[in-house]
Amino acid sequence: MKIAPFKVEEWMNEYEMDAEYNIAETCVESLTIEELLNFSDDPEARLEEIKKLQLTYGDIKGSAAFKKGVSSLYETVEPENILPSHGAIGANFLLLYSLIEAGDEVVSVFPTYQQLYSIPESFGAEVKRLDLKYEDGFLPDLEKLKSLVSQKTKLIAINNPNNPSGVVIKRELLEEIVEIARAADAYILADEVYRGFNLEEEIPSIADLYQKGISVGSMSKVFSLAGLRMGWIAGPEEVIELCQLHRDYTTISNSMISDYLSVIALENKEKILARNLTKVKKQLQILDDWVQSQELIEYVKPNGGTTAFLKYQLDLDSESFAKKLLAEKGVLVVPGIAFGREGFLRIGFAGSEPVLKNGLALLEEFLEENKNGKNF
């Protein structure tokens, strides 16, 4: 089976360790185990419980406490409709591996996380891309979506909030997408790993809006716990059963310690989300002030998530720009071409605040030094 190289992951694998100022990272600054335990009512008791954990396989389908905690993130999803996975990346793969066959038709937003279109393509599906345009605020054009969806469409893939743009598809527009999917009896897969950062209004889940809606989430972004590698699928019973059938071939269980620590986070979600949302709002303001001061940079301001897609005006392709910036300033960003878009850079703004400020200052220096090559 042939599959396209995963461009954004290849980029991060190649350059992440060389960066002095990594503003390509997409997670809110990660928690330590001590910080996580301190969100609980009795950190010492929790630590003692961890020490006594026997390192066996644990619950094959995820602990009852984990599934209960995840279901609390939704309005209508019950614990039995949750299936844990190895991060959201594992959830997306498992879902597509379980549902999509050669000859199926899939419609995916673009740009987005590459899994959503490259995996179905690798299985022999026909993938139609719904271009999200800068001029449209990176929101889906419903008339274009209707033209792409047919009675053969098995699944529509969206990413909400969107990676790389940080733009949210709000409830009204989501409900219209649901009606388009319903008319074709198609599933909707929503990668919702950034859902929870409600910068304007609460972001609904597709699993709460549509009986064939499937939500993918994780502990990585919103909970600052990427190292646990805990994700999940939330969806209809028949989808969960089918995914479990396929999961038996790829995953026996998640780590007991990861499950246990995730439960602590989910039990204290209000405290962690308050910590992280405060940080996201503050650092988005830092980014926005910086963008507004720049001659050669513009963007659609994110209203969810932790990423932004900066449009630049230099006569450099995005890969050359990003490599030159890293070599000369030690600043890591992701070139837009990793998302199929030239003339853009993706940055993450929710990591270390000093790293963000220093990274933006050095990016400004770089722009100033190279502005003779601006492309107006």
Side-chain angles (χ1 to χ4, degrees):
M1 182 184 75
K2 294 182 179 180
I3 193 167
F6 202 154
K7 293 179 182 178
V8 68
E9 298 301 336
E10 284 192 336
W11 179 265
M12 297 299 286
N13 292 343
E14 180 73 19
Y15 297 110
E16 189 169 15
M17 293 299 104
D18 298 330
E20 187 174 357
Y21 301 100
N22 182 354
I23 56 173
E25 175 59 59
T26 58
C27 297
V28 180
E29 192 168 11
S30 297
L31 293 168
T32 64
I33 292 177
E34 181 178 27
E35 287 171 330
L36 173 58
L37 294 180
N38 284 338
F39 281 113
S40 70
D41 293 334
D42 194 343
E44 290 301 321
R46 291 290 199 171
L47 183 57
E48 288 305 312
E49 289 173 3
I50 291 171
K51 290 178 182 179
K52 294 173 184 176
L53 282 176
Q54 186 177 15
L55 297 180
T56 182
Y57 287 114
D59 292 285
I60 300 302
K61 297 182 180 180
S63 71
F66 176 75
K67 291 188 284 188
K68 178 182 178 182
V70 171
S71 70
S72 73
L73 305 175
Y74 299 89
E75 296 175 4
T76 63
V77 177
E78 299 297 329
E80 57 265 29
N81 297 106
I82 304 294
L83 185 65
S85 62
H86 183 77
I89 196 169
N92 281 328
F93 184 88
L94 176 60
L95 182 70
L96 294 166
Y97 171 51
S98 302
L99 287 183
I100 303 304
E101 302 176 27
D104 281 345
E105 184 177 280
V106 172
V107 177
S108 174
V109 296
F110 183 83
T112 187
Y113 200 52
Q114 191 176 334
Q115 276 192 306
L116 300 186
Y117 53 90
S118 285
I119 290 175
E121 286 173 342
S122 76
F123 293 153
E126 179 188 359
V127 178
K128 300 177 180 178
R129 299 184 186 184
L130 175 64
D131 283 330
L132 306 178
K133 298 180 180 179
Y134 179 80
E135 297 77 16
D136 296 332
F138 290 119
L139 289 170
D141 180 328
L142 293 183
E143 291 306 312
K144 179 64 175 176
L145 177 60
K146 287 177 185 177
S147 75
L148 295 175
V149 172
S150 73
Q151 291 305 308
K152 291 175 56 182
T153 301
K154 190 167 191 180
L155 181 142
I156 298 169
I158 63 175
N159 180 201
N160 195 34
N162 178 258
N163 175 14
S165 69
V167 170
V168 173
I169 305 173
K170 295 182 181 180
R171 181 178 293 269
E172 183 178 353
L173 190 54
L174 275 176
E175 289 174 344
E176 294 188 66
I177 294 172
V178 164
E179 290 309 310
I180 294 170
R182 183 177 283 121
D185 194 31
Y187 291 104
I188 300 177
L189 161 59
D191 182 329
E192 297 176 345
V193 294
Y194 297 99
R195 177 176 163 262
F197 294 132
N198 304 320
L199 299 180
E200 292 182 350
E201 58 189 61
E202 186 174 354
I203 303 168
S205 172
I206 201 67
D208 289 322
L209 297 180
Y210 181 38
Q211 69 273 22
K212 296 188 76 170
I214 306 162
S215 166
V216 164
S218 85
M219 303 303 296
S220 297
K221 313 299 183 183
V222 173
F223 289 96
S224 296
L225 296 170
L228 297 186
R229 308 311 304 129
M230 288 291 290
W232 63 83
I233 298 167
E237 181 179 354
E238 70 274 10
V239 171
I240 297 300
E241 290 177 355
L242 185 60
C243 287
Q244 178 59 49
L245 177 68
H246 289 78
R247 183 178 181 268
D248 286 338
Y249 285 91
T250 63
T251 308
I252 295 176
S253 68
N254 289 88
S255 156
M256 282 190 68
I257 291 179
S258 293
D259 186 301
Y260 184 87
L261 293 174
S262 296
V263 170
I264 294 174
L266 290 162
E267 288 174 347
N268 295 278
K269 61 180 182 293
E270 290 84 5
K271 299 174 189 176
I272 295 174
L273 291 175
R275 174 253 196 193
N276 286 357
L277 189 55
T278 297
K279 185 175 180 63
V280 166
K281 287 180 176 179
K282 179 182 180 183
Q283 292 182 205
L284 176 56
Q285 188 61 56
I286 291 169
L287 172 63
D288 191 57
D289 290 343
W290 181 85
V291 169
Q292 301 311 319
S293 72
Q294 299 303 305
E295 176 189 5
L296 304 178
I297 297 286
E298 58 184 90
Y299 76 156
V300 176
K301 185 178 178 180
N303 56 351
T306 62
T307 63
F309 214 30
L310 306 183
K311 185 179 182 183
Y312 66 88
Q313 298 181 45
L314 283 182
D315 192 18
L316 276 174
D317 66 83
S318 60
E319 184 172 343
S320 298
F321 186 124
K323 286 181 176 179
K324 194 167 189 281
L325 176 66
L326 180 62
E328 295 180 3
K329 303 296 182 181
V331 176
L332 183 66
V333 297
V334 179
I337 195 60
F339 291 91
R341 286 285 192 276
E342 272 299 359
F344 289 86
L345 306 168
R346 190 197 73 178
I347 71 163
F349 56 83
S352 160
E353 184 178 333
V355 168
L356 176 66
K357 288 179 175 178
N358 288 327
L360 292 176
L362 289 166
L363 176 53
E364 184 171 354
E365 282 184 15
F366 181 86
L367 291 165
E368 181 67 23
E369 291 165 4
N370 290 272
K371 69 179 182 180
N372 289 336
K374 64 185 179 182
N375 185 22
F376 288 122

